[in-house]
Amino acid sequence: MKIYNTLTKKKEEFNPIDGHEVKMYVCGPTVYDYAHLGHGRTYVAFDTIRRYLEHKNYIVKLIINFTDIDDKIINRANEKRITPKELADKFIKSFLEDMEKLNIKPAELYPRVSEHVDDIIKFIETLIEKGYAYVADDGVYFDVKKFGDYGKLSNINLDEMIAGHRVEKNLKKKNPEDFALWKFAKPNEPKWDSPWGEGRPAWHIECSAMGIKYLGEQFDIHGGGNDLIFPHHENEIAQSEVYTGRSPWVKYWMHTGFVMVDREKMSKSLGNFITLKDLIDKYDSEVIRLFLLQRHYRSPLDYSEEGLLDAKTNLEKLYNTLKNVDATIRSSHIKHNLDDIDIKTYETIRNAWINFYNAMDDDFNTPEALKYVFEVSNVINRYVNTSNNPNKSVLTKALDFFKMVGEIFGIFNKFDSKDNEGIEEDLINILINIRAKLKKEKNYNLADEIRDELKNIGIQLEDSPKGTIWKKL
Ligand code: AMP
Ligand code: ZN
């Protein structure tokens, strides 16, 4: 299996550090507003990656953090006259609800920054002891020039950074490219004691401290949206590799492309976002998943209603196939004399299955994998509609294929083969009642025809003084 690694800028064979275990950290949201489709994209992508790894028998340990200390949270809480914690609690709850509705499997742990300030302080102390961080008037900073590998993830060089104004202008730090680890408290802000004075952690340090705390000094996958490559992940690498003295801190760096609206990134700060809640109300959550999976996770994705409606049609088509196959399977048998169409259909499903895996093994190419899902859907529908004696083996293979797809893509959860079973039972009972009425009217020919036709499809009626019962042959 190959994964595109932002660190090496190429697709690499995936070999986890520790055999069967995959340790994975995905940067979580800054919780000051409702989650939007951009978040949905990133977390559905990593959920699909996680599901595929689990399908391949890896045991995945996934950590997603909550950034609950941040300027935007403090400002929004002040506007609303509530505490930052109240604001964060509200949006954490809302985020987790959205994730559940989207069939995103829960992470093992969702650590919050506000509950890890001690770990962060110890981390910063080590960076200072090692000579890579210094205390300034307004906080503690990381001395970027000292870390020779700086820029290896984003390929940025320091001169470009400064020329491109991609650094915070601040005369209090030694060099313009240095980034904050700890910010001294301003009035009316949440604050914690530290060896350098009261204050709060800056942004990047949280993911280094919590990543190492829960996943160890080196782990397999670290992910987030494209916007996090620089400076967030670049800074995480610098801090972590200095702290542990080991490199690489993370083996595979994975980044998702943006959901775009009118050529701009969908974002809370631009205000051009559509919340997941609104979308889930309007469309089914599986429609949203399919819409997202129809595009490769690294490519930008344009938000459009047509795209969602298209995904809705596609999902309905797949559900119809599932019901069609499931209904046919009950009256089918395993054949010994195969027709050409039986052999060809089985072969198509088998090849599609292999191609599905090949596509997923190629950096989780979900749009390519979906092509084979639709291929199986078309082929099996044609088979059911044209074969007068469909082979149970073929139908079972198709159903197994769709179950596998559903498990990896987090769809088809509303398909319950018992639905059809319920209908089957109801229909048989309707026929039994009609047959009883026919017998009362002495219309024995038609009553016998019902009994015989049911027997032909494997249902045996047995009359007894208590009434008629049925069983499957
Ligand atoms: P934030 O809430 O901005 O801290 O973002 C949380 C995660 O969602 C990060 O990994 C972001 O990169 C990702 N994200 C935010 N907006 C988008 C978007 N429009 N498209 C894809 N991912 C996004
Ligand atoms: Zn992070």
Side-chain angles (χ1 to χ4, degrees), residues 458-471:
I459 309 282
Q460 167 119 10
L461 301 190
E462 281 169 13
D463 295 320
S464 75
K466 282 189 194 152
T468 306
I469 53 159
W470 64 273
K471 65 177 182 207

Side-chain angles (χ1 to χ4, degrees), residues 19-32:
H20 294 293
E21 192 170 28
V22 175
K23 292 182 180 155
M24 185 166 163
Y25 185 100
V26 178
C27 291
T30 310
V31 278
Y32 70 100

Side-chain angles (χ1 to χ4, degrees), residues 113-297:
V113 185
S114 61
E115 289 166 6
H116 291 78
V117 177
D118 286 348
D119 299 301
I120 290 170
I121 290 173
K122 282 188 202 125
F123 201 110
I124 299 173
E125 277 185 307
T126 305
L127 296 180
I128 296 175
E129 275 161 26
K130 291 195 171 191
Y132 284 81
Y134 60 90
V135 183
D137 286 350
D138 59 347
V140 182
Y141 287 91
F142 187 91
D143 197 339
V144 168
K145 278 212 177 83
K146 289 226 164 117
F147 183 64
D149 268 354
Y150 195 82
K152 67 178 168 180
L153 182 73
S154 61
N155 267 2
I156 199 151
N157 73 44
L158 294 184
D159 296 337
E160 268 171 20
M161 254 172 86
I162 295 158
H165 302 290
R166 293 185 75 178
V167 291
E168 209 185 320
K169 278 220 180 93
N170 175 348
L171 299 176
K172 299 198 166 86
K173 49 188 180 178
K174 273 200 223 161
N175 307 298
E177 62 275 17
D178 295 349
F179 60 87
L181 299 166
W182 184 264
K183 295 182 175 185
F184 290 147
K186 294 190 197 118
N188 300 323
E189 282 187 358
K191 58 186 180 198
W192 286 261
D193 269 339
S194 84
W196 325 285
E198 284 182 332
R200 61 186 164 99
W203 175 28
H204 318 294
I205 192 72
E206 66 188 60
C207 293
S208 291
M210 299 192 287
I212 290 171
K213 175 163 184 171
Y214 295 110
L215 297 177
E217 293 199 345
Q218 288 183 301
F219 57 89
D220 302 293
I221 297 177
H222 192 130
N226 255 331
D227 53 337
L228 300 187
I229 299 175
F230 183 86
H232 185 52
H233 289 163
E234 195 67 66
N235 293 351
E236 282 188 35
I237 291 177
Q239 299 157 163
S240 303
E241 295 192 356
V242 166
Y243 177 83
T244 63
R246 300 169 77 171
S247 173
W249 173 42
V250 172
K251 210 167 165 190
Y252 305 93
W253 285 87
M254 300 182 74
H255 294 95
T256 50
F258 293 148
V259 172
M260 309 290 288
V261 184
D262 299 331
R263 289 162 200 268
E264 278 192 301
K265 176 192 165 199
M266 180 181 283
S267 76
K268 288 179 275 201
S269 47
L270 289 174
N272 60 353
F273 63 92
I274 297 115
T275 64
L276 284 173
K277 287 198 196 313
D278 285 349
L279 281 176
I280 292 167
D281 277 351
K282 194 161 170 195
Y283 304 91
D284 181 85
S285 57
E286 293 191 1
V287 169
I288 300 171
R289 275 191 89 110
L290 192 62
F291 170 69
L292 297 171
L293 293 169
Q294 282 175 348
R295 192 106 175 120
H296 187 257
Y297 76 90

Side-chain angles (χ1 to χ4, degrees), residues 46-181:
F46 284 105
D47 180 58
T48 308
I49 289 166
R50 175 240 180 113
R51 284 167 176 265
Y52 190 58
L53 292 171
E54 288 180 342
H55 186 74
K56 293 203 140 212
N57 293 332
Y58 288 113
I59 312 298
V60 177
K61 178 168 185 182
L62 171 66
I63 306 290
I64 298 178
N65 67 300
F66 283 123
T67 302
D68 65 349
I69 303 176
D70 177 86
D71 286 335
K72 286 178 243 134
I73 297 177
I74 297 168
N75 294 340
R76 183 67 58 91
N78 285 343
E79 281 167 26
K80 293 191 177 288
R81 295 175 186 281
I82 55 176
T83 64
K85 180 164 182 341
E86 282 164 337
L87 187 85
D89 284 349
K90 171 178 168 178
F91 289 113
I92 286 175
K93 185 167 171 278
S94 162
F95 177 86
L96 292 174
E97 279 165 13
D98 293 347
M99 296 298 108
E100 191 174 346
K101 284 199 188 127
L102 277 180
N103 300 329
I104 292 176
K105 287 191 181 185
E108 183 161 327
L109 204 69
Y110 296 91
R112 293 171 64 146
V113 185
S114 61
E115 289 166 6
H116 291 78
V117 177
D118 286 348
D119 299 301
I120 290 170
I121 290 173
K122 282 188 202 125
F123 201 110
I124 299 173
E125 277 185 307
T126 305
L127 296 180
I128 296 175
E129 275 161 26
K130 291 195 171 191
Y132 284 81
Y134 60 90
V135 183
D137 286 350
D138 59 347
V140 182
Y141 287 91
F142 187 91
D143 197 339
V144 168
K145 278 212 177 83
K146 289 226 164 117
F147 183 64
D149 268 354
Y150 195 82
K152 67 178 168 180
L153 182 73
S154 61
N155 267 2
I156 199 151
N157 73 44
L158 294 184
D159 296 337
E160 268 171 20
M161 254 172 86
I162 295 158
H165 302 290
R166 293 185 75 178
V167 291
E168 209 185 320
K169 278 220 180 93
N170 175 348
L171 299 176
K172 299 198 166 86
K173 49 188 180 178
K174 273 200 223 161
N175 307 298
E177 62 275 17
D178 295 349
F179 60 87
L181 299 166

Side-chain angles (χ1 to χ4, degrees), residues 342-411:
D342 301 319
I343 297 168
K344 283 217 172 94
T345 310
Y346 201 106
E347 199 171 284
T348 307
I349 299 169
R350 189 162 22 82
N351 285 333
W353 199 317
I354 293 167
N355 286 328
F356 178 96
Y357 282 157
N358 285 338
M360 291 301 285
D361 281 348
D362 181 18
D363 191 32
F364 309 97
N365 194 340
T366 55
E368 179 71 13
L370 274 168
K371 280 190 203 158
Y372 299 105
V373 179
F374 292 115
E375 184 184 347
V376 173
S377 170
N378 290 334
V379 163
I380 200 71
N381 276 329
R382 210 175 312 136
Y383 179 71
V384 168
N385 297 338
T386 55
S387 165
N388 40 23
N389 181 17
N391 185 1
K392 194 167 198 161
S393 303
V394 175
L395 299 169
T396 308
K397 192 75 177 167
L399 215 49
D400 285 349
F401 173 78
F402 287 118
K403 280 184 195 153
M404 175 280 298
V405 171
E407 185 53 41
I408 294 169
F409 285 173
I411 54 176

